[in-house]
Amino acid sequence: MDFYLAALIQGLCFSAIALGIFISMKIFNIPDITTDGSYTLGGVVTAKLLMAHQPVFVVLPVVIVAGALAGAATGIIHTKLKINALLAGILVMTALYSINLSIMGRSNIPINSVSTIFSLINISANPNNNTFWILIVFVAIITGVIGYLLKTDFGIAMRAAGNSESMIRALGVNTDRMKIIGLALANALTALSGFLVTQFQVFADINMGIGIVIMGLGSVIIAETLINWFRITSVWLSLVLVLSGAVIFQMVLAFTLSSGVDPTLLKLVTAVFVLLIVSLPRLSFKGSS
Amino acid sequence: MIDITQVHKVYNRGKANQVNAVNGVDLKISEKEFLVIVGSNGSGKTTLLNLVAGSVLPSSGDISIDGNNVTKKADYRRSEWIARVFQNPLSGTAPDLSILDNFRLAAIRTKRKGLSIGINPQFKKDVKDKIATLGMGLENKTEQLMGTLSGGQRQALTLLMSVMDTCRVLLLDEPTAALDPRSADIVMNTADKLVKDFGLTAILVTHNLKDAFVYGNRIIQMSEGKIIKDLNEQKKIALKQNDLFDWFA
Ligand SMILES: Nc1ncnc2c1ncn2[C@@H]1O[C@H](COP(=O)(O)OP(=O)(O)OP(=O)(O)O)[C@@H](O)[C@H]1O
Ligand SMILES: [Mg+2]
């Protein structure tokens, strides 16, 4: 497969995670580690249900609900038990490992014997182009839904909840409830990435989620840099930049691997890359002042 | 309108640094009363306002608003009566949201924040007209982020936001503390006008004795969590500005 098309497809698969992290990180200022577990959960539920010959349109809502429950668990632990959000996420992520493993019953489920969203829908005769267009449509729909949501009265309240808690409480919003809903939404999106990737790579694996949160964070940080750079205030443009962030991230990784870096070092390269994009703006600031 | 009965608020109870921030306050505020609270730093003024708003719950005592016992009600559930302007201009608005978004939330303070888009051309026009009454030239900046405005501008907008939706009680905690004299005047005049136009029950906390003298129809002084002076409308009218200075001598 064309090298950059592959990276593009990967990026599109991960754009749901990027949107999820955008919500937890940028809107609520919560670094949500649940992501690693809810992504795998999405993949595991997808593989298990597809192997049980459930149709994709049944699998999809179940995946969304599963991810949302995982996020809500983190939200409830964080807000009701007043436990640091990072720790709450780690707790749920750890618990999810066992949950995922018991759902799977073993550590890897191949699904090449059943049809997936990519083999069921035919937009193009070329399988790679077909995958690409299905993902484009899928991601466009998710982005449309999230963009619309953020423009509604509920969405404005959600954005305000992460921005000025005193103000939004004075305006009649239960910020705890809002955080729980926000984390549920973020992890539902993350689970959708698990849903897509599992069908794309035709297997689910118990370890597929390790370090995946960094993909989302990296994508959002790239987007944030661009948002600050161009002083973007539009919700729609911000979301499009988050999607671009996910694609750019995969492109850079693909480029690194193609330049001969050992695949065992992939996570190291990822971490260093994210470190670079986080620190570059600060370093250049220091130099100029 | 607001009944505060034997309310105490104790911080760090039983520890060496225990503070009786509000120490047995009894206060009945009638409808459309405009109460001014003065008192030195740390006398419990903000705590008392927070107790009314519900962002702080009392250690003991009862609070009712419009006949409803709200003692244990969270702040976000008291917003059906109360709008507030904070001591810190940054607390009353969301900086990363546009002015319009901020006003939209204020316009549905007592209502459900639903899944429909509420910012339509009519709403934008209404907000512009409202903001124009301030005379600060902000009416053409409604798409800007709130965070790009100065403290004074934000404080003035927070005031306007408080009457976007039905409001019975307006809490003003040193709304002009961080402002230059001109913005302070605009904010205080706007506040006074809103209180009169909308028949609000208002509580103003201030360190500015001129404002305390000019505005309101009742004044109390707090010290160490207690009310030590309480002057009704006639007595406040009879009060001289110099008498007020003597309170702090
Ligand atoms: N969250 C808190 N924890 C501990 N002590 C507190 C807390 N909030 C207020 N206090 C204490 O309660 C007392 C009253 O504080 P409060 O903020 O009500 O004073 P104030 O009259 O508003 O003062 P200022 O004029 O400086 O705004 C102070 O001694 C303060 O240190
Ligand atoms: Mg105070």
Side-chain angles (χ1 to χ4, degrees):
Chain A
M1 188 186 334
D2 174 31
F3 177 78
Y4 284 103
L5 179 62
L8 188 58
I9 286 176
Q10 290 266 358
L12 288 171
C13 284
F14 287 125
S15 53
I17 288 196
L19 290 173
I21 298 281
F22 178 73
I23 290 174
S24 56
M25 186 71 191
K26 279 300 291 167
I27 295 189
F28 287 98
N29 280 317
I30 293 177
D32 181 22
I33 309 289
T34 323
T35 307
D36 282 14
S38 52
Y39 169 77
T40 312
L41 179 65
V44 167
V45 169
T46 303
K48 198 72 187 175
L49 288 180
L50 284 179
M51 290 309 284
H53 300 287
Q54 294 299 320
V56 170
F57 68 86
V58 171
V59 178
L60 183 63
V62 177
V63 166
I64 293 174
V65 170
L69 285 177
T74 302
I76 290 168
I77 293 173
H78 169 49
T79 57
K80 301 298 175 201
L81 303 181
K82 313 250 177 281
I83 286 173
N84 174 296
L86 200 58
L87 179 56
I90 292 174
L91 290 174
V92 173
M93 178 199 75
T94 309
L96 277 175
Y97 188 88
S98 295
I99 294 177
N100 289 334
L101 198 53
S102 38
I103 295 175
M104 291 173 90
R106 54 195 159 125
S107 59
N108 187 297
I109 302 182
I111 56 168
N112 31 19
S113 61
V114 292
S115 20
T116 67
I117 186 171
F118 300 115
S119 59
L120 281 172
I121 305 172
N122 270 303
I123 303 178
S124 161
N126 175 320
N128 290 332
N129 289 345
N130 194 46
T131 303
F132 172 74
W133 285 111
I134 291 172
L135 284 172
I136 287 282
V137 172
F138 196 92
V139 169
I141 293 173
I142 305 178
T143 313
V145 171
I146 299 297
Y148 176 83
L149 183 74
L150 292 178
K151 297 288 258 185
T152 64
D153 291 340
F154 179 82
I156 302 175
M158 190 158 132
R159 287 187 281 144
N163 196 219
S164 178
E165 196 157 337
S166 55
M167 173 252 201
I168 196 67
R169 290 183 73 88
L171 293 180
V173 173
N174 180 345
T175 44
D176 284 356
R177 195 173 141 251
M178 211 40 131
K179 282 182 194 164
I180 296 169
I181 296 176
L183 285 174
L185 183 62
N187 284 285
L189 285 165
T190 299
L192 280 182
S193 274
F195 166 85
L196 291 175
V197 170
T198 295
Q199 295 180 77
F200 173 64
Q201 66 188 14
V202 285
F203 67 87
D205 188 279
I206 187 67
N207 291 325
M208 67 192 269
I210 292 179
I212 213 75
V213 64
I214 213 75
M215 300 267 188
L217 279 176
S219 313
V220 170
I221 292 165
I222 294 174
E224 192 183 9
T225 310
L226 297 173
I227 288 171
N228 292 339
W229 209 325
F230 297 109
R231 296 174 198 283
I232 283 164
T233 59
S234 147
V235 169
W236 289 111
L237 264 181
S238 304
L239 292 184
V240 168
L241 285 177
V242 170
L243 303 183
S244 320
V247 172
I248 294 173
F249 197 97
Q250 293 306 318
M251 291 284 182
V252 172
L253 281 192
F255 179 77
T256 321
L257 283 181
S258 74
S259 64
V261 172
D262 181 351
T264 6
L265 299 179
L266 185 59
K267 300 270 185 220
L268 177 65
V269 171
T270 314
V272 170
F273 175 51
V274 171
L275 180 64
L276 268 180
I277 42 181
V278 180
S279 56
L280 266 185
R282 293 168 207 221
L283 289 179
S284 57
F285 244 106
K286 266 193 193 147
S288 66
S289 63
Chain B
M1 186 68 199
I2 304 173
D3 283 350
I4 299 171
T5 320
Q6 271 305 305
V7 164
H8 291 259
K9 179 66 199 182
V10 184
Y11 286 111
N12 310 321
R13 183 188 288 281
K15 302 205 184 113
N17 57 351
Q18 171 168 332
V19 188
N20 299 314
V22 166
N23 196 1
V25 164
D26 278 303
L27 185 62
K28 300 214 179 320
I29 305 168
S30 13
E31 176 129 37
K32 298 190 186 173
E33 199 161 66
F34 187 164
L35 171 73
V36 178
I37 306 182
V38 295
S40 36
N41 293 127
S43 56
K45 307 178 298 296
T46 297
T47 308
L48 186 63
L49 236 53
N50 282 336
L51 285 163
V52 173
S55 28
V56 162
L57 295 179
S59 310
S60 64
D62 274 302
I63 300 173
S64 72
I65 300 176
D66 204 18
N68 305 281
N69 188 328
V70 297
T71 311
K72 298 214 162 56
K73 251 189 183 188
D75 47 1
Y76 61 87
R77 292 177 59 206
R78 296 188 199 185
S79 64
E80 62 178 284
W81 302 283
I82 298 177
R84 62 189 307 203
V85 178
F86 295 85
Q87 190 164 354
N88 179 350
L90 308 182
S91 302
T93 48
D96 293 345
L97 268 57
S98 69
I99 296 179
L100 263 176
D101 287 341
N102 275 274
F103 270 76
R104 178 62 200 164
L105 288 173
I108 49 174
R109 191 185 76 241
T110 68
K111 304 184 186 76
R112 222 173 63 85
K113 281 77 179 164
L115 290 178
S116 60
I117 292 184
I119 299 182
N120 53 33
Q122 181 61 43
F123 181 80
K124 289 186 187 179
K125 191 178 165 300
D126 290 349
V127 169
K128 268 194 179 141
D129 293 346
K130 275 232 164 68
I131 295 181
T133 62
L134 285 177
M136 292 176 117
L138 296 175
E139 52 277 14
N140 296 319
K141 299 186 173 176
T142 53
E143 309 277 350
Q144 269 190 31
L145 296 188
M146 194 54 110
T148 62
L149 302 185
S150 74
Q153 293 169 327
R154 286 173 75 168
Q155 211 65 327
L157 291 180
T158 311
L159 257 180
L160 283 186
M161 282 163 56
S162 61
V163 292
M164 286 294 291
D165 198 353
T166 54
C167 170
R168 306 283 303 279
V169 176
L170 179 61
L171 303 180
L172 305 158
D173 190 359
E174 300 186 43
T176 62
L179 312 189
D180 70 48
R182 199 184 96 85
S183 306
D185 267 351
I186 294 181
V187 165
M188 278 316 302
N189 284 329
T190 312
D192 195 45
K193 189 169 175 306
L194 295 180
V195 169
K196 288 183 176 132
D197 290 355
F198 291 85
L200 305 177
T201 306
I203 307 180
L204 166 71
V205 170
T206 183
H207 285 296
N208 182 326
L209 296 183
K210 190 182 135 279
D211 286 347
F213 176 72
V214 173
Y215 299 102
N217 47 28
R218 179 179 176 189
I219 184 165
I220 65 174
Q221 183 185 14
M222 288 189 71
S223 174
E224 297 177 0
K226 289 186 190 311
I227 297 175
I228 56 166
K229 282 203 180 63
D230 186 349
L231 272 61
N232 64 16
E233 182 151 26
Q234 287 90 25
K235 287 191 192 150
K236 183 168 189 297
I237 292 170
L239 189 74
K240 308 261 183 317
Q241 205 172 339
N242 277 340
D243 301 338
L244 260 181
F245 283 105
D246 291 340
W247 288 11
F248 290 87

